[in-house]
């Protein structure tokens, strides 16, 4: 299995505040028919911080049943504690996850010096039964993994890649250039998917791919086929929706976009809220514009 | 029981990575002999983010046994999810906690708008069987509770106070001035305990009070007795140690200061580390200077 | 002349975009009848960044004529270049300025390391014919002078004080405690005048004192007379207007407040704008509330 | 004359603190023999904040004599005041500058709302006798021009382009996509020259091009010739030096790199300093590595 292409960090469906696993299966039925190369379960956009242990395990179990072996099943397993991260990673390994995405611990930002983060990741990698990818998302964590340290970590045989959600293409370039050959560098920011591919990223783990997987995959494929101008043009058309569903309207916005696209989005968990009618109208408008662009066949 | 005075957010003791509840009891034996007005269990400095559910309950249970009814037992119960916060708060209520400290949810910083935070706290307060205090700690959360919103929240009969750890005295002044009479405003920043008292704070919930409770209590008492110059002078002597154990050397530094003072500090949990010999020497020097100041009787 | 009390960083009056020196004189006529201990000419709020050299000299000249020798005439002389700062400071000395306020250079933030700033201030102090005060205003400059470095600088016989506009009372406390005896520490943030005095500041250099000098002076005097509760109460009443005229509505807001109080405010220079009617109404309301508080005699 | 390609923001040479115009001419003699498409005079890296009016005019005069009419002569004319910006821009126009680069005013960051900046740029564009380019450099100014506002400004016939030094490729993409056809978008960040070209930038205004113009130009040319892999590879080799001379070691570092490359670098003006021997050794090593890469002919 090759680590590349487009993966959505899948949203976790709730009905009346309760995990709706049947809705998750329905979403997988549709996602599996697209060109997505895999899925990230229990990512930030999966509202993992609002799930208890039992719910997290249920998400992994149902995902494992729904994801075909031809697609990547990546699971977010990072906790604040090193030992808890190791334990949960190996539980996921036992349940059949292909690889684990481990976020930088972050609550005590001031103490998360580069060497402390390095030791954390090495300890997890040493004990993990599956390959791990680093997860850098400074907008949530207030912590940034510098390229030099990513390069060092890439030397560990069990650290196989990174999802960098900083949106910083200069940093992504350096990570790609400095890290070991075969180290899989994904962007986690949909508005820069195209430039990320230009500097050598292997793909994207993109929130908006929950709602519009085909568009994201098409940008990736156009780029791979050398149709650079078309890829850039489609990126430009996708960017407004990509920004709206995450940066501007958060997970509530993303779930509305899923509803619009015919997936089950539903409500996020409290304290998150689903935005009102005006946001829904805005997202409908942006989705329609993008759909028209696609139907017309001209990116 | 009056909400005022000095409370330490108690450190959680570990031996070989395992919760050491006997050491906790020994620490309480000494703390109970000081002028501390109470304790915060499961605060940030209690490494609550590294404790699993069972460990958290054990901490609450042993603390309840150790804290006399004459002292406040406050427990940190804030989780990312509104419902989980309610559930855990009521579990703590059942176990005998006097009141709960509820941190601002923070993982999705961009979505934590004032109204979202307001609704979260109101929902918790509505359902909680004990009084709650708001916990504002922007240096960890990246989220700040503005004075106007604290004032609104103070109107709820079950929201009885706030711990503001921003260290921003202008903000603290406004919170005190704008909030309801009787609303208990604590600072969470030891280097500004004295000015916080000057602008009307009822006390401090201070990490360094784990190691030097008598000094913190003395500043509070001197101020209450109108000995303002002495209070200010002792504050100035305490500030270097107070900054060193939290801002500079984190919880590892705080635990060293506890060891120096004869409490059980021990090691923090990984990824946190205990600083090396040089920091230990620095903290010994700062502790000694402060002790001498105290012995001499002139603050 | 003692460096203490309340000084306004005086606004620069314009009529049709042209320096209105007669209006400045009229303002001085009224200011001189209040308890202000002096004036800061060419401060940030004097829109010095919008004045050419000729205009700056005219401001100094007219101010020198208008300020009685019993009051402090402090002049902002800090430029980006060390040599230009020295030259302008000595030109001001020749024109009769009592002392100079020298802002941290800031355009190349990344290069303004503590040692670089230290060397800059020492070079200026060595060559200046009048005493200089350091000016720390991180919200404009993006640069902060740490207390340890201020303490070192306070050892220079020609560096006689500091205006710290950070609003950070912890930092102000440390500066006061660590610096040499006699070093004059002013706050530059009106919402924290009272706590600044509590921790030992000698006074405030306060934008809002352009419009309501008597209130600012009264807080200072109440504190000096030991009427601490009254001082705190008046501070709390002043804070809303103090925040509105600077943080919220900038210099345009401050000039409206001056107009309301019977001074000449007028328009700021472009690109700054004067806020509209709604802000004017808000500031009138806040001014009236404050005035009533004063007339009633109970702070 | 087409606005595109690589331009250095030329360094200003000093000898013993005095403007060294002969050295400037010598630098131009060499620069003119490279593929640079033009020059930016009086940019940030030209230490314009340390030049008085007379020196600024001398820089423009000598540059005009030295720059052939086939190359772009762009001049930095932005001041804090709208009127001063207009006056200086038209003085530059009279002296033969081809176009002007106007930085966002920034001292009063809080007041520089989008509409205020918009009005400033429109006022300058309305009155300027030469075309103007916007200059967005948030790392120095603390102010960011959002793509939507740049797009609006691009509709003005006299606003012909932008230099965006944020290094944010997502933002650059949006600016390019949203702005009017023919609007010239330059990156000001050498480490992202390659991805900037990928998303459609017309070129770069790059500090490091003072020292290694041929390398920068070659990246640009390789990209234009469709040799994308070679362009990316050369970018990766250039990035370490590009980061070292600006982000890490400031203008002092850039001037060392010029000395190493055989240009006149010399000392920056105080308070800026020239870094010591260790930085010089580091920059020599980085320059040599890069030179070897070039000589070998394999990017």
């Amino acid at each position: 299995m090759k680590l590349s292409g487009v993966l959505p960090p899948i949203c976790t469906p709730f009905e009346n505040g309760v995990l709706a696993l049947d809705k998750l299966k329905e979403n997988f039925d549709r996602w599996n028919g697209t060109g997505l190369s895999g899925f990230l379960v229990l990512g930030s956009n999966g509202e993992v911080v609002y799930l208890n242990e039992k719910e997290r395990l249920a998400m992994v179990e149902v995902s494992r049943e729904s994801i075909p072996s031809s697609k990547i099943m990546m699971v977010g397993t990072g906790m604040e504690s090193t030992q808890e991260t190791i334990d949960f990673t190996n539980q996921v390994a036992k349940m059949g996850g292909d690889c684990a995405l481990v976020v930088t611990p972050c609550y005590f930002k001031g103490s998360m010096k580069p060497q402390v983060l390095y030791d954390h990741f090495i300890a997890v990698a040493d004990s993990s039964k599956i390959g791990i990818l680093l997860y850098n998302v400074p907008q949530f964590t207030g912590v940034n993994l510098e390229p030099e340290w990513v390069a060092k970590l890439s030397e560990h045989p069990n650290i196989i890649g990174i999802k960098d959600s900083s949106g910083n293409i200069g940093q992504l370039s350096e990570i790609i250039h400095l890290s070991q050959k075969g180290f899989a560098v994904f962007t986690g920011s949909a508005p820069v998917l195209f430039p990320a591919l230009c500097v050598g990223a292997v793909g994207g783990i993109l929130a908006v791919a929950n709602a519009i997987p085909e568009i994201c995959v098409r940008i990736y494929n156009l780029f791979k086929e050398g149709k650079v101008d078309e890829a850039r043009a489609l990126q430009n058309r996708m960017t407004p929706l990509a920004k709206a569903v995450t940066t501007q309207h958060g997970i509530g916005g993303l779930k509305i976009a899923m509803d619009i696209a015919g997936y089950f989005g539903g409500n996020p968990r409290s304290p998150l809220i689903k935005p009102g009618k005006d946001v829904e109208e805005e997202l409908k408008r942006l989705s329609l514009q993008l759909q028209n662009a696609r139907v017309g066949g001209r990116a």
Side-chain angles (χ1 to χ4, degrees), chain A residues 14-86:
Chain A
F14 302 106
E15 277 184 319
N16 305 316
V18 179
L19 207 56
L21 295 169
D22 53 330
K23 297 300 180 189
L24 178 62
K25 287 178 196 166
E26 289 172 25
N27 283 345
F28 268 121
D29 284 347
R30 279 195 59 197
W31 284 328
N32 283 334
T34 67
L36 291 169
S37 61
F39 303 90
L40 167 62
V41 184
L42 302 181
S44 296
N45 285 289
E47 295 176 69
V48 63
V49 294
Y50 303 140
L51 300 181
N52 62 32
E53 197 186 342
K54 203 178 141 193
E55 291 168 330
R56 281 188 273 124
L57 295 179
M59 282 297 293
V60 173
E61 195 181 350
V62 170
S63 298
R64 182 62 289 174
E65 291 164 12
S66 304
I67 300 173
S69 62
S70 59
K71 291 186 189 282
I72 306 158
M73 176 172 164
M74 188 186 293
V75 183
T77 63
M79 318 283 275
E80 286 290 329
S81 146
T82 305
Q83 190 55 52
E84 283 196 77
T85 302
I86 292 170

Side-chain angles (χ1 to χ4, degrees), chain A residues 87-141:
Chain A
D87 293 346
F88 187 48
T89 303
N90 282 334
Q91 195 162 13
V92 162
K94 207 178 294 175
M95 295 174 77
D98 294 317
C99 53
L101 184 68
V102 179
V103 71
T104 53
C106 63
Y107 191 73
F108 300 108
K109 295 175 203 343
S111 298
M112 294 299 108
K113 315 281 190 209
Q115 185 70 49
V116 166
L117 292 170
Y118 177 85
D119 292 344
H120 172 79
F121 284 119
I122 293 294
V124 174
D126 278 347
S127 299
S128 170
K129 299 210 166 70
I130 48 179
I132 69 166
L133 292 94
L134 314 171
Y135 181 19
N136 189 43
V137 58
Q139 60 270 46
F140 289 156
T141 63

